[in-house]
Coordinates of all heavy atoms in Angstrom, one line a residue:
M12 N 0.9 -1.2 0.0 CA 0.0 0.0 0.0 C 0.8 1.2 0.0 O 0.5 2.3 -0.5 CB -0.9 -0.1 1.3 CG -1.8 1.2 1.3 SD -3.4 1.2 0.9 CE -4.3 0.2 2.0
L13 N 2.0 1.2 0.6 CA 2.9 2.3 0.7 C 3.4 2.7 -0.7 O 3.6 3.9 -1.0 CB 4.1 2.2 1.7 CG 5.0 3.4 2.0 CD1 4.1 4.4 2.6 CD2 6.0 3.0 2.9
K14 N 3.7 1.7 -1.4 CA 4.2 1.8 -2.9 C 3.1 2.5 -3.7 O 3.5 3.4 -4.5 CB 4.6 0.4 -3.4 CG 5.3 0.6 -4.7 CD 5.9 -0.7 -5.1 CE 6.6 -0.6 -6.5 NZ 7.5 -1.7 -6.8
I15 N 1.9 2.2 -3.5 CA 0.8 2.7 -4.3 C 0.7 4.2 -3.8 O 0.5 5.2 -4.6 CB -0.6 2.1 -4.0 CG1 -0.4 0.7 -4.6 CG2 -1.7 2.9 -4.5 CD1 -1.6 -0.2 -4.3
F16 N 0.9 4.5 -2.5 CA 0.8 5.8 -2.0 C 1.9 6.8 -2.7 O 1.8 7.9 -3.0 CB 0.9 6.0 -0.5 CG 1.1 7.3 0.1 CD1 -0.2 8.1 0.2 CD2 2.2 7.9 0.6 CE1 -0.1 9.3 0.7 CE2 2.2 9.1 1.2 CZ 1.0 9.8 1.1
K17 N 3.1 6.2 -2.6 CA 4.3 6.9 -3.3 C 4.0 7.2 -4.8 O 4.3 8.3 -5.2 CB 5.6 6.1 -3.1 CG 6.0 6.1 -1.7 CD 7.3 5.3 -1.5 CE 8.4 6.2 -1.4 NZ 9.7 5.4 -1.1
I18 N 3.5 6.2 -5.4 CA 3.1 6.4 -6.9 C 2.2 7.5 -7.1 O 2.2 8.4 -7.9 CB 2.8 5.2 -7.5 CG1 3.9 4.2 -7.6 CG2 2.1 5.3 -8.9 CD1 3.6 2.8 -8.1
T19 N 1.1 7.5 -6.3 CA 0.0 8.4 -6.3 C 0.4 9.9 -6.0 O 0.1 10.8 -6.5 CB -1.2 8.0 -5.2 OG1 -1.6 6.8 -5.6 CG2 -2.3 9.0 -5.2
A20 N 1.4 9.9 -4.9 CA 2.1 11.2 -4.6 C 2.8 11.8 -5.8 O 2.6 12.9 -6.1 CB 3.0 11.0 -3.5
L21 N 3.5 10.9 -6.5 CA 4.2 11.5 -7.7 C 3.3 11.9 -8.8 O 3.3 13.0 -9.4 CB 5.1 10.3 -8.2 CG 6.5 10.2 -7.5 CD1 7.2 9.1 -8.2 CD2 7.3 11.4 -7.7
L22 N 2.3 11.1 -9.0 CA 1.3 11.4 -10.1 C 0.5 12.7 -9.8 O 0.2 13.6 -10.6 CB 0.3 10.2 -10.4 CG 1.1 9.0 -11.1 CD1 0.1 7.9 -11.2 CD2 1.7 9.4 -12.4
E23 N 0.1 12.8 -8.5 CA -0.7 14.0 -8.0 C 0.2 15.3 -8.2 O -0.3 16.2 -8.6 CB -1.1 13.8 -6.6 CG -2.2 14.7 -6.1 CD -1.7 16.0 -5.6 OE1 -0.6 16.1 -5.1 OE2 -2.5 17.0 -5.6
G24 N 1.4 15.2 -7.8 CA 2.3 16.3 -8.0 C 2.5 16.7 -9.5 O 2.5 17.9 -9.8
I25 N 2.7 15.7 -10.2 CA 2.8 16.1 -11.7 C 1.4 16.6 -12.3 O 1.5 17.6 -13.1 CB 3.1 14.7 -12.6 CG1 4.5 14.3 -12.2 CG2 3.0 15.0 -14.0 CD1 4.9 12.9 -12.6
S26 N 0.4 16.1 -11.9 CA -0.9 16.7 -12.4 C -1.1 18.1 -11.9 O -1.8 18.9 -12.7 CB -2.1 15.7 -12.1 OG -2.4 15.8 -10.6
Y27 N -0.7 18.4 -10.8 CA -0.7 19.7 -10.2 C 0.1 20.7 -10.9 O -0.4 21.7 -11.4 CB -0.3 19.6 -8.7 CG -0.7 20.8 -7.9 CD1 -1.8 21.6 -8.1 CD2 0.0 21.2 -6.7 CE1 -2.2 22.6 -7.2 CE2 -0.4 22.2 -5.8 CZ -1.5 22.9 -6.2 OH -1.8 24.0 -5.3
L28 N 1.3 20.3 -11.4 CA 2.1 21.1 -12.2 C 1.6 21.3 -13.6 O 1.7 22.4 -14.2 CB 3.6 20.5 -12.1 CG 4.3 20.5 -10.8 CD1 5.6 20.0 -10.8 CD2 4.4 22.0 -10.2
V29 N 1.1 20.2 -14.2 CA 0.5 20.3 -15.4 C -0.8 21.3 -15.5 O -0.9 22.0 -16.3 CB 0.0 18.9 -16.0 CG1 -0.8 19.0 -17.2 CG2 1.3 18.1 -16.3
L30 N -1.5 21.2 -14.4 CA -2.6 22.1 -14.2 C -2.2 23.6 -14.2 O -2.8 24.4 -14.8 CB -3.4 21.6 -13.1 CG -4.9 22.2 -12.9 CD1 -5.7 21.9 -14.1 CD2 -5.5 21.8 -11.5
F31 N -1.2 23.8 -13.3 CA -0.6 25.1 -13.3 C -0.1 25.7 -14.6 O -0.3 26.8 -15.0 CB 0.5 25.2 -12.3 CG -0.1 25.6 -11.0 CD1 0.4 24.9 -9.8 CD2 -1.1 26.5 -10.7 CE1 -0.1 25.2 -8.5 CE2 -1.5 26.8 -9.4 CZ -1.1 26.2 -8.3
S32 N 0.7 24.7 -15.3 CA 1.3 25.1 -16.6 C 0.2 25.5 -17.7 O 0.4 26.3 -18.5 CB 2.4 24.1 -17.1 OG 1.7 22.8 -17.4
N33 N -0.9 24.7 -17.6 CA -1.9 25.0 -18.6 C -2.4 26.4 -18.3 O -2.8 27.1 -19.2 CB -3.0 23.9 -18.4 CG -4.2 24.0 -19.3 OD1 -4.0 24.4 -20.5 ND2 -5.4 23.8 -18.9
M34 N -2.6 26.6 -17.0 CA -3.2 28.0 -16.7 C -2.2 29.1 -17.1 O -2.6 30.2 -17.4 CB -3.6 28.1 -15.2 CG -4.2 29.4 -14.8 SD -4.4 29.4 -13.0 CE -2.8 29.2 -12.3
L35 N -1.0 28.9 -16.7 CA 0.0 30.0 -16.8 C 0.5 30.1 -18.2 O 0.9 31.3 -18.8 CB 1.4 29.7 -15.9 CG 0.9 29.9 -14.5 CD1 2.1 29.5 -13.6 CD2 0.5 31.3 -14.0
F36 N 0.8 29.2 -19.1 CA 1.4 29.2 -20.4 C 0.4 29.1 -21.5 O 0.6 29.7 -22.5 CB 2.5 28.2 -20.5 CG 3.6 28.3 -19.4 CD1 3.9 27.4 -18.5 CD2 4.2 29.5 -19.3 CE1 4.7 27.4 -17.6 CE2 5.2 29.6 -18.2 CZ 5.4 28.5 -17.4
I37 N -0.5 28.2 -21.4 CA -1.5 28.0 -22.5 C -2.6 29.0 -22.5 O -3.0 29.5 -23.6 CB -2.1 26.7 -22.4 CG1 -0.8 25.5 -22.7 CG2 -3.1 26.3 -23.6 CD1 -1.1 24.2 -22.6
K38 N -3.2 29.3 -21.3 CA -4.4 30.2 -21.3 C -4.2 31.6 -21.9 O -4.9 32.1 -22.6 CB -4.8 30.4 -19.9 CG -6.0 31.2 -19.7 CD -6.5 31.3 -18.2 CE -7.7 32.1 -18.1 NZ -8.1 32.2 -16.7
P39 N -3.0 32.2 -21.7 CA -2.7 33.6 -22.3 C -2.6 33.6 -23.8 O -3.0 34.5 -24.5 CB -1.6 34.0 -21.6 CG -1.3 33.3 -20.4 CD -1.9 32.0 -20.6
N40 N -2.1 32.4 -24.3 CA -1.8 32.2 -25.7 C -2.9 31.7 -26.5 O -3.1 32.0 -27.8 CB -0.5 31.5 -25.9 CG 0.7 32.2 -25.3 OD1 0.7 33.6 -25.2 ND2 1.6 31.5 -24.7
N41 N -3.5 30.7 -26.0 CA -4.6 29.9 -26.8 C -5.7 29.6 -25.8 O -5.7 28.5 -25.3 CB -3.9 28.7 -27.4 CG -4.9 28.1 -28.4 OD1 -6.0 28.3 -28.4 ND2 -4.3 27.1 -29.2
F42 N -6.7 30.5 -25.7 CA -7.8 30.2 -24.7 C -8.7 29.0 -25.1 O -9.0 28.2 -24.1 CB -8.6 31.5 -24.6 CG -9.7 31.3 -23.4 CD1 -9.3 31.4 -22.2 CD2 -11.0 31.0 -23.7 CE1 -10.2 31.3 -21.2 CE2 -12.0 30.9 -22.7 CZ -11.6 31.1 -21.5
E43 N -8.8 28.8 -26.3 CA -9.6 27.5 -26.7 C -8.9 26.3 -26.3 O -9.6 25.3 -25.8 CB -9.9 27.6 -28.2 CG -10.7 28.8 -28.8 CD -12.1 28.7 -28.1 OE1 -12.7 27.6 -28.1 OE2 -12.6 29.8 -27.8
L44 N -7.7 26.2 -26.5 CA -6.8 25.0 -26.1 C -6.9 24.9 -24.6 O -7.1 23.8 -24.1 CB -5.5 25.1 -26.7 CG -4.5 23.9 -26.2 CD1 -5.2 22.6 -26.8 CD2 -3.1 24.2 -26.8
Y45 N -6.8 25.9 -23.8 CA -6.8 26.0 -22.4 C -8.1 25.4 -22.0 O -8.2 24.5 -21.1 CB -6.6 27.3 -21.9 CG -7.1 27.6 -20.6 CD1 -6.4 27.1 -19.4 CD2 -8.3 28.2 -20.3 CE1 -6.9 27.2 -18.2 CE2 -8.8 28.3 -19.1 CZ -8.1 27.9 -18.0 OH -8.5 28.0 -16.6
H46 N -9.2 25.8 -22.5 CA -10.6 25.4 -22.3 C -10.8 24.0 -22.5 O -11.4 23.2 -21.7 CB -11.6 26.3 -22.8 CG -13.0 26.2 -22.3 ND1 -13.3 25.2 -21.3 CD2 -14.1 26.8 -22.5 CE1 -14.6 25.3 -21.0 NE2 -15.1 26.4 -21.7
T47 N -10.2 23.4 -23.5 CA -10.3 22.1 -24.1 C -9.6 21.2 -23.0 O -10.0 20.1 -22.6 CB -9.8 22.0 -25.4 OG1 -10.5 22.7 -26.3 CG2 -9.9 20.4 -25.9
L48 N -8.3 21.6 -22.6 CA -7.6 20.8 -21.7 C -8.0 20.9 -20.2 O -7.5 20.0 -19.5 CB -6.0 21.2 -21.9 CG -5.4 21.0 -23.2 CD1 -4.0 21.6 -23.2 CD2 -5.4 19.4 -23.6
L49 N -8.7 21.9 -19.9 CA -8.9 22.2 -18.5 C -9.6 21.1 -17.8 O -9.4 20.4 -16.7 CB -9.7 23.4 -18.3 CG -9.9 23.9 -16.9 CD1 -8.7 24.0 -16.0 CD2 -10.8 25.1 -16.8
Y50 N -10.7 20.4 -18.4 CA -11.5 19.4 -17.8 C -10.8 18.1 -17.6 O -10.8 17.6 -16.5 CB -12.9 19.2 -18.6 CG -13.7 18.2 -18.0 CD1 -14.6 18.5 -16.9 CD2 -13.8 16.8 -18.5 CE1 -15.3 17.5 -16.3 CE2 -14.6 15.9 -17.9 CZ -15.3 16.2 -16.8 OH -16.2 15.3 -16.2
P51 N -10.2 17.6 -18.6 CA -9.5 16.3 -18.4 C -8.3 16.4 -17.3 O -8.1 15.5 -16.6 CB -9.0 15.9 -19.7 CG -9.3 17.0 -20.6 CD -10.1 17.9 -20.1
I52 N -7.5 17.5 -17.5 CA -6.5 17.6 -16.5 C -6.9 18.0 -15.1 O -6.5 17.3 -14.1 CB -5.6 18.9 -17.0 CG1 -4.9 18.5 -18.2 CG2 -4.5 19.2 -15.9 CD1 -4.1 19.8 -18.9
G53 N -8.0 18.8 -15.0 CA -8.6 19.1 -13.7 C -9.2 17.8 -13.0 O -9.1 17.6 -11.8
M54 N -9.9 16.9 -13.8 CA -10.6 15.7 -13.3 C -9.5 14.8 -12.9 O -9.7 14.1 -11.8 CB -11.5 15.3 -14.4 CG -12.3 14.0 -14.0 SD -13.3 14.3 -12.5 CE -14.6 15.1 -13.4
S55 N -8.4 14.6 -13.7 CA -7.5 13.6 -13.2 C -6.7 14.1 -12.1 O -6.4 13.3 -11.2 CB -6.5 13.4 -14.4 OG -5.8 14.5 -14.8
H56 N -6.4 15.4 -12.0 CA -5.8 15.9 -10.7 C -6.7 15.7 -9.6 O -6.3 15.4 -8.5 CB -5.6 17.4 -10.9 CG -5.0 18.0 -9.6 ND1 -3.8 17.7 -9.0 CD2 -5.6 19.0 -8.8 CE1 -3.7 18.4 -7.9 NE2 -4.8 19.1 -7.8
G57 N -8.1 16.0 -9.6 CA -8.9 15.8 -8.6 C -9.0 14.4 -8.1 O -9.1 14.2 -6.9
I58 N -9.1 13.5 -9.0 CA -9.1 12.0 -8.6 C -7.9 11.6 -7.9 O -7.7 11.0 -6.9 CB -9.3 11.2 -9.8 CG1 -10.8 11.3 -10.4 CG2 -9.1 9.7 -9.6 CD1 -11.1 10.8 -11.7
L59 N -6.6 12.1 -8.5 CA -5.5 11.8 -7.8 C -5.3 12.5 -6.5 O -4.7 11.9 -5.5 CB -4.3 12.2 -8.7 CG -4.0 11.3 -9.9 CD1 -3.1 12.0 -10.9 CD2 -3.6 9.9 -9.5
F60 N -5.8 13.6 -6.3 CA -5.8 14.4 -5.0 C -6.6 13.6 -4.0 O -6.2 13.4 -2.9 CB -6.3 15.8 -5.1 CG -6.4 16.5 -3.9 CD1 -5.3 17.1 -3.4 CD2 -7.6 16.7 -3.3 CE1 -5.4 17.8 -2.1 CE2 -7.7 17.4 -2.1 CZ -6.6 17.9 -1.5
I61 N -7.8 13.1 -4.4 CA -8.6 12.4 -3.4 C -7.9 11.1 -3.1 O -7.9 10.6 -1.9 CB -10.0 12.2 -4.0 CG1 -10.7 13.6 -4.1 CG2 -10.9 11.1 -3.1 CD1 -12.0 13.5 -4.9
G62 N -7.3 10.5 -4.0 CA -6.7 9.3 -3.8 C -5.6 9.4 -2.8 O -5.2 8.6 -2.0
Y63 N -4.8 10.4 -3.0 CA -3.6 10.8 -2.2 C -4.1 11.0 -0.6 O -3.6 10.4 0.3 CB -3.0 12.0 -2.5 CG -1.8 12.5 -1.7 CD1 -0.5 12.1 -1.9 CD2 -2.0 13.5 -0.8 CE1 0.5 12.5 -1.2 CE2 -0.9 14.0 -0.1 CZ 0.3 13.5 -0.2 OH 1.4 14.0 0.6
I64 N -5.2 11.7 -0.5 CA -5.7 12.0 0.9 C -6.3 10.7 1.5 O -6.0 10.4 2.7 CB -6.8 13.1 0.8 CG1 -6.3 14.4 0.3 CG2 -7.5 13.2 2.2 CD1 -5.1 15.0 1.2
V65 N -7.1 9.9 0.7 CA -7.5 8.6 1.2 C -6.5 7.8 1.6 O -6.5 7.1 2.7 CB -8.6 8.0 0.3 CG1 -8.9 6.7 0.5 CG2 -9.8 8.8 0.1
L66 N -5.5 7.6 0.7 CA -4.4 6.6 1.1 C -3.7 7.1 2.3 O -3.2 6.3 3.1 CB -3.4 6.5 -0.1 CG -3.9 5.6 -1.3 CD1 -3.0 5.8 -2.5 CD2 -4.0 4.2 -0.9
A67 N -3.4 8.4 2.4 CA -2.7 9.0 3.6 C -3.6 8.6 4.9 O -2.8 8.1 5.8 CB -2.6 10.5 3.5
F68 N -4.8 8.7 4.8 CA -5.6 8.3 6.1 C -5.5 6.9 6.2 O -5.6 6.5 7.5 CB -7.0 8.8 5.8 CG -7.3 10.1 6.4 CD1 -7.4 11.3 5.4 CD2 -7.5 10.5 7.7 CE1 -7.6 12.5 5.8 CE2 -7.8 11.8 8.1 CZ -7.7 12.9 7.2
L69 N -5.6 6.0 5.3 CA -5.5 4.6 5.5 C -4.1 4.1 6.0 O -4.0 3.2 6.8 CB -5.7 3.8 4.2 CG -7.2 3.9 3.7 CD1 -7.2 3.3 2.3 CD2 -8.1 3.3 4.6
L70 N -3.1 4.8 5.5 CA -1.7 4.5 5.9 C -1.3 5.1 7.3 O -0.3 4.6 8.0 CB -0.6 5.0 4.9 CG -0.6 4.1 3.7 CD1 0.3 4.8 2.6 CD2 -0.1 2.8 4.0
K71 N -2.2 6.1 7.8 CA -1.7 6.7 9.0 C -1.6 5.8 10.2 O -0.7 5.7 10.9 CB -2.7 7.8 9.3 CG -2.4 8.5 10.6 CD -3.5 9.5 10.9 CE -3.3 10.3 12.3 NZ -3.3 9.5 13.4
T72 N -2.6 4.8 10.3 CA -2.6 3.9 11.4 C -1.6 2.7 11.2 O -0.9 2.4 12.1 CB -4.0 3.3 11.6 OG1 -4.5 2.8 10.4 CG2 -4.9 4.5 12.1
S73 N -1.6 2.2 9.9 CA -0.8 1.0 9.6 C 0.7 1.4 9.7 O 1.6 0.6 10.1 CB -1.0 0.5 8.3 OG -0.7 1.3 7.2
Q74 N 1.1 2.6 9.4 CA 2.5 3.1 9.4 C 2.9 3.8 10.7 O 4.0 4.1 10.9 CB 2.9 4.1 8.3 CG 2.8 3.4 6.9 CD 3.7 2.2 6.7 OE1 4.8 2.4 7.0 NE2 3.3 1.1 6.1
K75 N 1.9 4.0 11.6 CA 2.1 4.7 12.9 C 2.7 6.1 12.7 O 3.7 6.3 13.5 CB 2.8 3.8 13.8 CG 2.1 2.5 14.2 CD 2.9 1.6 15.0 CE 2.2 0.4 15.5 NZ 1.7 -0.4 14.4
W76 N 2.1 6.9 11.9 CA 2.6 8.3 11.6 C 2.1 9.0 12.7 O 1.1 9.0 13.2 CB 2.1 8.8 10.4 CG 2.6 8.1 9.0 CD1 3.8 7.5 9.0 CD2 2.1 8.2 7.7 NE1 4.1 7.1 7.7 CE2 3.0 7.5 6.9 CE3 1.0 8.7 7.2 CZ2 2.8 7.3 5.6 CZ3 0.8 8.7 5.9 CH2 1.6 7.9 5.2
S77 N 3.0 10.0 13.3 CA 2.7 10.9 14.4 C 1.8 12.0 13.7 O 1.7 12.1 12.5 CB 3.9 11.6 14.9 OG 4.5 12.5 13.9
I78 N 1.1 12.8 14.5 CA 0.2 13.7 14.1 C 1.0 14.9 13.3 O 0.5 15.4 12.3 CB -0.5 14.5 15.3 CG1 -1.3 13.4 16.1 CG2 -1.3 15.7 15.0 CD1 -2.6 12.9 15.2
K79 N 2.1 15.2 13.7 CA 3.0 16.1 13.0 C 3.2 15.6 11.6 O 3.2 16.3 10.7 CB 4.4 16.4 13.8 CG 5.2 17.4 13.2 CD 6.5 17.5 13.9 CE 7.5 18.3 13.0 NZ 8.8 18.3 13.6
D80 N 3.8 14.5 11.5 CA 4.1 13.9 10.1 C 2.9 13.7 9.3 O 3.0 14.1 8.1 CB 4.7 12.5 10.4 CG 6.1 12.6 11.0 OD1 6.9 13.7 10.9 OD2 6.5 11.6 11.7
F81 N 1.8 13.3 9.9 CA 0.6 13.2 9.0 C 0.1 14.6 8.6 O -0.3 14.7 7.6 CB -0.5 12.5 9.9 CG -1.8 12.3 9.2 CD1 -1.8 11.5 8.2 CD2 -3.0 12.9 9.7 CE1 -3.1 11.2 7.4 CE2 -4.2 12.7 9.0 CZ -4.2 11.9 7.9
G82 N 0.2 15.6 9.4 CA -0.1 17.0 9.1 C 0.7 17.4 7.9 O 0.3 18.1 7.0
I83 N 2.1 17.1 7.9 CA 3.0 17.5 6.9 C 2.5 16.9 5.5 O 2.6 17.5 4.5 CB 4.4 17.3 7.2 CG1 4.9 18.3 8.4 CG2 5.3 17.4 6.1 CD1 6.2 17.8 9.0
I84 N 2.2 15.7 5.7 CA 1.9 14.9 4.5 C 0.5 15.6 3.9 O 0.4 15.7 2.7 CB 1.6 13.5 4.8 CG1 3.1 12.8 5.0 CG2 0.9 12.7 3.7 CD1 3.0 11.4 5.7
L85 N -0.4 15.9 4.7 CA -1.6 16.5 4.3 C -1.4 17.9 3.7 O -1.9 18.2 2.7 CB -2.7 16.5 5.3 CG -3.2 15.2 5.8 CD1 -4.3 15.4 6.9 CD2 -3.9 14.4 4.6
I86 N -0.7 18.7 4.4 CA -0.4 20.1 3.9 C 0.4 20.0 2.5 O 0.3 20.9 1.8 CB 0.3 20.8 5.0 CG1 -0.6 21.2 6.1 CG2 0.9 22.1 4.4 CD1 0.0 21.8 7.4
A87 N 1.3 19.0 2.4 CA 2.1 18.9 1.2 C 1.2 18.8 0.0 O 1.7 19.0 -1.1 CB 3.0 17.8 1.3
S88 N 0.1 18.2 0.1 CA -0.8 18.0 -1.0 C -1.3 19.3 -1.6 O -1.9 19.4 -2.6 CB -2.0 17.0 -0.7 OG -2.9 17.8 0.3
L89 N -1.2 20.4 -0.8 CA -1.8 21.7 -1.2 C -0.7 22.6 -1.9 O -1.1 23.6 -2.4 CB -2.3 22.4 0.0 CG -3.5 21.7 0.7 CD1 -4.0 22.5 2.0 CD2 -4.8 21.4 -0.2
L90 N 0.6 22.1 -1.7 CA 1.6 23.0 -2.2 C 2.2 22.3 -3.4 O 2.4 21.2 -3.5 CB 2.7 23.1 -1.1 CG 2.4 23.6 0.3 CD1 3.4 23.5 1.2 CD2 1.8 25.0 0.1
P91 N 2.6 23.3 -4.4 CA 3.3 22.7 -5.6 C 4.6 22.2 -5.1 O 5.3 22.7 -4.2 CB 3.6 24.0 -6.5 CG 2.5 24.9 -6.0 CD 2.3 24.7 -4.6
F92 N 5.0 21.0 -5.7 CA 6.2 20.3 -5.3 C 6.2 19.7 -4.0 O 7.1 19.0 -3.5 CB 7.5 21.0 -5.4 CG 7.7 21.7 -6.8 CD1 7.5 23.0 -7.0 CD2 8.2 20.9 -7.8 CE1 7.7 23.6 -8.2 CE2 8.3 21.4 -9.1 CZ 8.1 22.8 -9.3
G93 N 4.9 19.7 -3.1 CA 5.0 19.3 -1.8 C 4.8 17.7 -1.8 O 5.4 17.1 -1.0
T94 N 4.1 17.1 -2.8 CA 4.0 15.7 -2.8 C 5.3 15.1 -3.2 O 5.6 13.9 -2.9 CB 2.9 15.2 -3.8 OG1 3.1 15.7 -5.1 CG2 1.6 15.7 -3.2
F95 N 6.2 15.7 -4.0 CA 7.5 15.3 -4.4 C 8.3 15.2 -3.1 O 9.1 14.3 -2.9 CB 8.1 16.2 -5.4 CG 7.4 16.2 -6.7 CD1 7.0 17.4 -7.3 CD2 7.1 15.1 -7.4 CE1 6.4 17.5 -8.4 CE2 6.4 15.2 -8.5 CZ 6.0 16.3 -9.1
Y96 N 8.2 16.2 -2.3 CA 8.9 16.3 -0.9 C 8.5 15.1 -0.2 O 9.3 14.4 0.4 CB 8.7 17.6 -0.3 CG 9.2 17.7 1.1 CD1 10.6 17.9 1.4 CD2 8.4 17.4 2.2 CE1 11.1 18.0 2.7 CE2 9.0 17.4 3.5 CZ 10.3 17.8 3.7 OH 10.8 17.8 4.9
V97 N 7.3 14.9 0.0 CA 6.8 13.7 0.7 C 7.3 12.4 0.3 O 7.8 11.6 0.9 CB 5.2 13.7 0.7 CG1 4.7 12.4 1.3 CG2 4.7 14.8 1.5
E98 N 7.1 12.2 -1.0 CA 7.6 10.9 -1.7 C 9.0 10.7 -1.4 O 9.6 9.6 -1.1 CB 7.3 11.0 -3.2 CG 7.4 9.6 -3.9 CD 8.8 9.2 -4.2 OE1 9.5 10.2 -4.7 OE2 9.1 8.0 -4.3
K99 N 9.9 11.7 -1.5 CA 11.4 11.5 -1.4 C 11.8 11.5 0.1 O 12.5 10.7 0.4 CB 12.2 12.6 -2.1 CG 12.2 12.4 -3.6 CD 12.9 11.2 -4.0 CE 12.9 11.0 -5.6 NZ 13.3 9.8 -6.0
N100 N 11.3 12.4 0.9 CA 11.9 12.6 2.2 C 11.1 11.9 3.3 O 11.6 11.3 4.2 CB 12.1 14.1 2.5 CG 13.1 14.8 1.6 OD1 14.1 14.1 1.2 ND2 12.7 16.0 1.0
I101 N 9.8 12.3 3.3 CA 9.0 12.0 4.5 C 8.7 10.4 4.4 O 8.9 9.7 5.4 CB 7.6 12.7 4.5 CG1 7.9 14.1 4.7 CG2 6.7 12.2 5.6 CD1 8.6 14.6 6.0
A102 N 8.2 10.0 3.3 CA 7.8 8.5 3.2 C 9.0 7.6 3.5 O 8.8 6.5 4.1 CB 7.2 8.2 1.8
K103 N 10.2 7.8 3.1 CA 11.2 6.9 3.3 C 11.7 6.9 4.9 O 12.2 5.9 5.3 CB 12.4 7.3 2.5 CG 13.1 8.4 2.7 CD 14.4 8.5 1.7 CE 15.0 9.8 2.0 NZ 16.2 9.9 1.0
Y104 N 11.5 8.0 5.5 CA 11.9 8.0 6.9 C 10.7 7.5 7.8 O 11.0 7.0 8.9 CB 12.2 9.4 7.4 CG 13.3 10.1 6.7 CD1 13.2 11.2 6.0 CD2 14.5 9.5 6.8 CE1 14.4 11.8 5.4 CE2 15.6 10.1 6.3 CZ 15.5 11.2 5.5 OH 16.7 11.7 4.9
L105 N 9.5 7.4 7.2 CA 8.4 6.9 8.1 C 8.2 5.4 7.9 O 7.2 4.8 8.5 CB 7.2 7.8 7.7 CG 7.3 9.2 8.1 CD1 6.0 9.9 7.6 CD2 7.5 9.5 9.5
I106 N 8.9 4.7 6.9 CA 8.5 3.2 6.8 C 9.1 2.5 7.9 O 10.1 2.7 8.5 CB 9.4 2.8 5.4 CG1 8.8 3.5 4.3 CG2 9.3 1.4 5.2 CD1 9.6 3.4 3.0

């Protein structure tokens, strides 16, 4: 289950960055393309975000994460590059 969480964390972070790049780079230049890409990118990011949160809650008890570590993991889902930090640094120390 931890391996699935790490993969979900990576994919969620990538989808977050793709969503931002769609907004920052494509929207000003090509609004039609931005609008076309927004729904599939946003939906995939939303599903991965929910999966990340659900997996974090499921792993909290089995991995015996402290409240502080669990809070960092949850807050990282809201920050760009946060899930990459969790995947590389937090998850390997908490195993």
Side-chain angles (χ1 to χ4, degrees):
M12 176 100 71
L13 190 62
K14 189 172 188 174
I15 294 170
F16 177 72
K17 292 175 99 175
I18 292 170
T19 305
L21 281 175
L22 292 175
E23 196 272 335
I25 292 169
S26 71
Y27 199 24
L28 295 177
V29 169
L30 193 61
F31 272 137
S32 65
N33 184 39
M34 180 183 65
L35 293 174
F36 302 118
I37 296 176
K38 184 179 180 180
N40 299 325
N41 190 347
F42 187 76
E43 295 298 321
L44 180 60
Y45 160 77
H46 194 355
T47 304
L48 295 175
L49 185 61
Y50 182 78
I52 295 170
M54 183 61 75
S55 62
H56 171 69
I58 291 169
L59 289 166
F60 176 78
I61 291 169
Y63 177 87
I64 298 297
V65 168
L66 286 170
F68 272 98
L69 292 175
L70 285 169
K71 180 186 182 296
T72 54
S73 68
Q74 297 296 318
K75 296 178 177 58
W76 291 339
S77 70
I78 297 295
K79 178 186 172 190
D80 293 332
F81 184 61
I83 290 170
I84 289 169
L85 291 181
I86 290 171
S88 69
L89 302 174
L90 304 172
F92 302 106
T94 57
F95 299 125
Y96 174 79
V97 166
E98 196 275 329
K99 287 292 181 192
N100 297 320
I101 299 294
K103 73 178 176 184
Y104 295 122
L105 299 176
I106 296 173

